[in-house]
Amino acid sequence: MLNKNVNNTLDSATKAQRIPVTNISTPTSSRKIHIREQKGQFQQLRTGMNSLLVALFFLLPFISFDGRQAILFDLSQQQFIFFGTTLWPQDFTILAWVFIAAAFLLFFVTVFWGRVWCGYLCPQTAWTFIYVWIETRIEGNRNKRYALDKAPWGSDKLKKRVLKHTAWGAIALLTGCGFIAYFVPARELYIDIFSFSASFWITAWVWFFAICTYLNAGWMREQMCLHCCPYARFQSAMFDANTKTVTYDAARGESRGPRKRNEASALGDCVDCNLCVDVCPTGIDIRNGLQYECINCGACVDACNQTMQKFAYQPNLISYTSENTLAGKAEPFYESYKFLAYGIAALIMISVIAVDIYNRNNIELNVLRDRQSLYRETLDDKVENSFTLKIRNKTQQTRLYRIYVSGNSAYRLMGEVDLKIHPGEQLDYPVTVVALPELLDSARNDITFTVAEQHNYSQASQESSFFAPI
Ligand code: SF4
Ligand code: SF4
């Protein structure tokens, strides 16, 4: 699909002459990319979405629910707390379904809108643009940054570089804390890290993620998208002729060439200003056709529309469009079998999650029989069986429970049947069940233990066997 698209674009462009074909597969030269800052409709949208996501990333760990951090992967207690719901390792199938559903939703969106995830929502893109923004404020625009790279070391260059790397380092350290705040209580974490009183392992993990952030967003940038991200490699398999990707209208743009404003020209609409390349975070020339390096960020769309406006040409020489639309075939997107298949798969996954959550129980009960003896006969001609009930309170509050036993006879529980269990605690509670042998049907009888939460409807039951000398 990708190659077909490239070829299609090239075919029409070649007919219109003058399209450089030398850099289709190797768009990113070894030269460091300094992108030109671009304003416009899509950059506003991207900045807004990135800002919202970055703000959520830092603020979510500070939200409390029921007196506890609302979202917390508590590794020491082996529990995941999400707004009052606690998931234990045995509930992690729910998390697995959430990840699978998210993957199918991503595929679903990709079939329709291409790699919008990469351009608008991916943390790599968000943090890279934050780092570029800082770099631009300190070192100046794109031309000044290239000039500074070439300039010999002096006090001005040293000052700017120290300032830039300090700012990048500070953002990286905050990001490291932001990430670890999902695993340890956030409020104490920031204080402990910045007062150097955090434990060795917490400090080590914060610095590990800080260094990763600094290297990814400061140095690797587009290299992560080009060489490390698997999604970049397989996303083209999800595209079809109705997928909207950032596309250059070669039939309209070629032959390209510079000209003066307000001057009649026999050339195509591309004035060869090169702005679409200068603003591209992956350094590609979208005029060469669809390339896997394109993250659909729309910077070139804004840049080209700005040029089109200056020359009083129609906008959208570069636009979010599909192969079919460009070819004048307006096939509805929902006729795409991939769109339907991913949509149905995502719906099924979401339904499975809903059912799983609905059926989830806040009480975990396991019944273990006493292995020492099948039964005991008492002096007053009754039969006793012993069990251990393993009861876990999966909530974040202390709860009161009552134990019941039922079956084909009048079973009676010896001892205390009302229990108090603390949040997250698993209680191993030994119980003895007594019955009259003459009322039992057979040597092995089915009985059911039920643990019910008092003042609530939650309960858990498990079957076991009651043995008697018959
Ligand atoms: S080609 Fe355009 S949309 Fe694609 S990454 Fe470059 S600037 Fe963004
Ligand atoms: S920004 Fe538009 S006009 Fe300028 S080179 Fe790119 S496609 Fe041509």
Side-chain angles (χ1 to χ4, degrees):
M1 182 66 205
L2 194 66
N3 291 337
K4 192 172 149 214
N5 258 350
V6 172
N7 290 337
N8 284 348
T9 313
L10 288 175
D11 283 345
S12 51
T14 311
K15 279 179 212 147
Q17 302 156 14
R18 285 202 58 202
I19 192 157
V21 295
T22 49
N23 62 345
I24 292 171
S25 300
T26 54
T28 311
S29 68
S30 54
R31 190 165 87 136
K32 185 176 177 188
I33 297 171
H34 282 304
I35 56 173
R36 184 188 290 273
E37 221 172 24
Q38 181 59 45
K39 295 206 178 345
Q41 177 192 4
F42 293 109
Q43 295 325 287
Q44 218 172 359
L45 181 64
R46 184 188 53 70
T47 310
M49 291 182 81
N50 283 180
S51 307
L52 179 68
L53 289 175
V54 171
L56 281 177
F57 169 75
F58 282 111
L59 293 179
L60 278 179
F62 287 96
I63 296 175
S64 295
F65 190 88
D66 264 356
R68 290 203 59 171
Q69 188 166 322
I71 302 175
L72 183 67
F73 289 86
D74 191 340
L75 296 182
S76 60
Q77 299 294 319
Q78 296 189 331
Q79 52 184 250
F80 169 48
I81 298 162
F82 187 80
F83 288 92
T85 301
T86 308
L87 297 183
W88 299 85
Q90 53 274 33
D91 299 320
F92 273 25
T93 47
I94 296 178
L95 273 190
W97 284 117
V98 169
F99 285 124
I100 295 171
F104 275 96
L105 274 177
L106 179 64
F107 300 160
F108 177 69
V109 172
T110 304
V111 173
F112 187 47
W113 275 108
R115 290 176 66 184
V116 282
W117 160 266
C118 302
Y120 292 85
L121 299 167
C122 176
Q124 175 71 19
T125 308
W127 261 258
T128 297
F129 274 102
I130 291 173
Y131 273 49
V132 170
W133 185 86
I134 291 170
E135 194 172 37
T136 309
R137 303 285 90 66
I138 294 171
E139 295 184 348
N141 64 26
R142 177 174 182 267
N143 293 342
K144 286 183 180 161
R145 300 206 296 278
Y146 274 127
L148 192 71
D149 282 352
K150 283 194 201 141
W153 281 97
S155 62
D156 181 54
K157 182 167 177 170
L158 187 66
K159 192 177 81 189
K160 284 180 173 165
R161 287 283 148 94
V162 168
L163 204 58
K164 178 176 86 173
H165 289 287
T166 307
W168 281 4
I171 300 278
L173 188 57
L174 278 176
T175 307
C177 290
F179 190 75
I180 297 301
Y182 286 88
F183 297 88
V184 297
R187 287 161 208 268
E188 292 98 68
L189 171 76
Y190 283 87
I191 296 167
D192 290 351
I193 286 291
F194 290 104
S195 62
F196 303 102
S197 54
S199 73
F200 169 79
W201 282 112
I202 289 178
T203 309
W205 279 112
V206 166
W207 277 99
F208 172 77
F209 284 104
I211 291 167
C212 288
T213 307
Y214 173 78
L215 293 176
N216 282 350
W219 293 90
M220 306 250 325
R221 294 187 180 174
E222 76 285 351
Q223 302 302 327
M224 290 297 291
C225 311
L226 303 188
H227 305 297
C228 303
C229 176
Y231 179 54
R233 299 284 166 170
F234 69 76
Q235 42 89 24
S236 64
M238 295 165 218
F239 287 8
D240 64 21
N242 286 311
T243 304
K244 288 183 188 299
T245 55
V246 169
T247 310
Y248 168 68
D249 186 348
R252 181 186 145 193
E254 302 298 324
S255 303
R256 72 186 74 159
R259 71 211 66 171
K260 290 202 175 96
R261 285 191 216 178
N262 305 321
E263 182 185 84
S265 169
L267 296 170
D269 281 358
C270 174
V271 303
D272 214 5
C273 63
N274 219 43
L275 277 181
C276 51
V277 180
D278 293 351
V279 299
C280 179
T282 60
I284 60 172
D285 187 341
I286 196 65
R287 293 173 297 173
N288 289 339
L290 180 62
Q291 295 144 79
Y292 83 87
E293 294 87 351
C294 175
I295 59 169
N296 249 22
C297 69
C300 55
V301 180
D302 284 332
C304 191
N305 278 343
Q306 189 180 300
T307 302
M308 293 296 105
Q309 195 180 17
K310 279 186 191 151
F311 281 79
Y313 292 162
Q314 289 296 314
N316 297 330
L317 176 58
I318 301 175
S319 64
Y320 283 95
T321 193
S322 71
E323 195 182 312
N324 274 340
T325 309
L326 209 60
K329 294 188 236 163
E331 285 180 27
F333 65 86
Y334 51 79
E335 285 186 6
S336 156
Y337 74 91
K338 285 184 187 170
F339 187 78
L340 287 175
Y342 288 132
I344 291 168
L347 265 181
I348 291 172
M349 304 295 157
I350 291 167
S351 310
V352 169
I353 295 166
V355 170
D356 220 354
I357 290 174
Y358 182 76
N359 288 331
R360 196 178 157 276
N361 199 338
N362 276 333
I363 309 168
E364 188 184 302
L365 172 65
N366 278 304
V367 180
L368 303 178
R369 279 194 52 84
D370 181 7
R371 291 187 186 164
Q372 305 298 327
S373 64
L374 277 181
Y375 58 84
R376 285 186 306 279
E377 291 175 90
T378 62
L379 293 175
D380 55 352
D381 297 329
K382 290 177 184 155
V383 183
E384 286 181 357
N385 280 203
S386 293
F387 303 83
T388 300
L389 306 188
K390 288 179 174 289
I391 309 162
R392 186 187 286 279
N393 171 5
K394 290 163 81 178
T395 71
Q396 293 301 316
Q397 296 84 32
T398 299
R399 295 275 164 100
L400 299 173
Y401 301 92
R402 176 164 289 175
I403 306 169
Y404 301 90
V405 64
S406 57
N408 59 353
S409 180
Y411 296 104
R412 194 160 57 84
L413 276 165
M414 303 284 287
E416 186 56 67
V417 292
D418 289 334
L419 309 170
K420 184 197 260 189
I421 307 181
H422 296 292
E425 185 190 355
Q426 177 178 288
L427 188 70
D428 290 356
Y429 191 67
V431 292
T432 299
V433 180
V434 184
L436 288 169
E438 60 269 27
L439 296 180
L440 295 170
D441 296 337
S442 62
R444 179 179 188 146
N445 304 274
D446 292 336
I447 59 168
T448 303
F449 286 95
T450 300
V451 175
E453 198 181 323
Q454 294 185 32
H455 320 299
N456 210 325
Y457 295 112
S458 295
Q459 63 175 46
S461 297
Q462 193 181 332
E463 289 189 355
S464 189
S465 299
F466 187 94
F467 290 93
I470 296 174

